[in-house]
Amino acid sequence: MLPIKFLHLCIRRSCVSNHLVSNCKFYCQKSSSKVRICQVLSSQEFGKNVQIQGWVRSVRSQKEILFLHVNDGSTLQSLQVVANAELYKRCLTFGSAVKISGTLEKSPHKKQLVELQADSIQVIGDCNPVDYPFKIKERHSLEYIRQFPHLRCRTKTFGSLLRIRSEASTAIQSFFKDNGFVQIHTPVITSNDCEGAGELFQIEPAGREQGPSEDEPHFFSVPAFLTVSGQLHLEVMTGAFPCVYTFGPTFRAENSQSRRHLAEFYMVEAEIAFTHSLEDITTVMEDLFKTATECILSRCSEDVELYHKYVAPGHMDRLNHMLKNKFKVISYTEAVDVLKHSQQNFAFRPEWGCDLQTEHEKYLVQHCGNIPLFVINYPYNLKPFYARNNEDKPQHTAAAVDLLVPGIGELCGGSLREERLELLKSRLEKTGLKDTYQWYLELRQFGSVPHGGFGMGFERYLQCILGVDNIKDVIPFPRFSHSCVL
């Protein structure tokens, strides 16, 4: 068994504790210091002189008093600013960037602890409300704001998404660090096709219209591509470390316009040495999902609540259902049997030996009570050359696993890796890849150990916990076929 303890509660408390410490550090400054609005809203230092900078969310001018709501992206909530009407300027509109100095006062309003009594208001950048695509007090749909990738970070909804995304990244990194994994920065440029699907973006210097020639060979002397996975490089590292992971961008040249695919996305990948069991792999998958999600719910409760209230009503109950129940496990063979005996009409007929389609994956999760589901032991021929042969003829399966989650389908994919040199050599010879992966064979000759790992799509994870239907709405700048805006 792995010497790993998954301390959910401790990590969650650590996240909150670190957050409070950072708040304290922020206030160890001289008076009239610049502060973030998230700190101001939780402060009780009434009478303190501060300066804030941010963007105007609303303006209400009365005869003698001016009311503003200002937000700087550090929190979902805006700070109410009260000022003498003499400070009003015509260019002070919804969307304007401002710098405001004043005194913190106790707010008479029940829903807010503090407000800022302004002494000065400076407009840093004005905003034409007529041309501005987002309107005050209007809740725009994700589809609408997607049209403005250069501006959508200014909306409440997408601002919440970006804060959640940041905290999710931190929670994932913390999980691996707390459980003894070493982070490896795997290359973005590679000469390997890890997945073997051929969905690669090839790299050559700009200006070579005719491509490589005898006079102008490849820049790297061999064909080079944007990575589809850091797995093979992580396998190299399991020759020296028991647990490693990487977290970075990956690329797929899929000509897809679906709600589940991007040409550029982020992957969390982990590799574990000295393991003979798929259960070791699925344990890490499940604990990563639950620990990171609990930390996000703790750190970003208001932002997550916005999504569960307005984007995906009722999703909080579904998410809690996932977190409270142990993930289920079935074999691929059992999964196909369930699909064949279902009353649902599938566009793709389920047959043993064929890959599971998205419609099959979603049905299986529903069939199992909308609890995340591990499907294990896929047909050997469906998996890449590195998947371990179960040697269970006549079925002939590989020790591979996919994690299926409600509403999304596949979230994680992994396997035990084939550590037996002769079996691996035979597989590579049959696929014509022996010469390309000679270095990979050498890994099995010098201190090789049984190992395995998995990859999790970061954007699909965010879709799962927030209930977002389209993957393009959980990444700052989506890249997909026929679209590379900005």
Side-chain angles (χ1 to χ4, degrees), residues 150-330:
H150 56 304
L151 296 174
R152 66 175 176 170
C153 61
R154 306 186 189 193
T155 65
K156 268 191 172 184
T157 306
F158 208 72
S160 287
L161 180 279
L162 293 175
R163 283 188 293 274
I164 293 168
R165 187 180 170 101
S166 176
E167 290 296 345
S169 176
T170 300
I172 288 168
Q173 300 271 9
S174 295
F175 171 84
F176 284 118
K177 181 179 179 180
D178 292 344
N179 288 288
F181 284 74
V182 175
Q183 183 179 19
I184 304 296
H185 294 129
T186 55
V188 171
I189 300 174
T190 179
S191 59
N192 302 308
D193 179 9
C194 178
E195 296 299 312
E199 297 163 342
L200 299 165
F201 289 104
Q202 188 164 352
I203 297 174
E204 290 295 345
R208 290 190 179 182
E209 298 179 0
Q210 303 301 320
S213 65
E214 291 184 6
D215 298 328
E216 273 192 296
H218 296 289
F219 181 84
F220 294 102
S221 299
V222 296
F225 312 94
L226 293 177
T227 184
V228 297
S229 170
Q231 177 204 314
L232 298 184
H233 297 95
L234 287 183
E235 286 196 62
V236 170
M237 297 300 167
T238 57
F241 300 94
C243 301
V244 292
Y245 81 100
T246 190
F247 187 179
T250 53
F251 307 85
R252 303 284 167 86
E254 290 182 290
N255 188 15
S256 173
Q257 296 287 333
S258 80
R259 297 171 179 266
R260 301 172 67 247
H261 296 95
L262 291 168
E264 177 186 4
F265 56 97
Y266 278 71
M267 280 272 283
V268 180
E269 298 179 272
E271 202 74 18
I272 302 166
F274 301 102
T275 179
H276 294 84
S277 170
L278 269 181
E279 185 179 355
D280 288 342
I281 309 301
T282 59
T283 296
V284 179
M285 286 189 198
E286 182 170 351
D287 281 296
L288 169 62
F289 181 95
K290 290 182 175 179
T291 304
T293 304
E294 287 172 359
C295 194
I296 294 164
L297 293 178
S298 173
R299 292 289 301 271
C300 298
S301 57
E302 289 185 333
D303 292 312
V304 172
E305 184 181 359
L306 182 146
Y307 269 81
H308 291 168
K309 184 176 181 180
Y310 296 107
V311 176
H315 191 71
M316 189 67 233
D317 291 337
R318 293 189 288 273
L319 183 58
N320 282 329
H321 184 63
M322 289 186 251
L323 295 174
K324 291 177 181 178
N325 287 279
K326 183 168 179 59
F327 294 179
K328 296 189 175 182
V329 182
I330 64 172

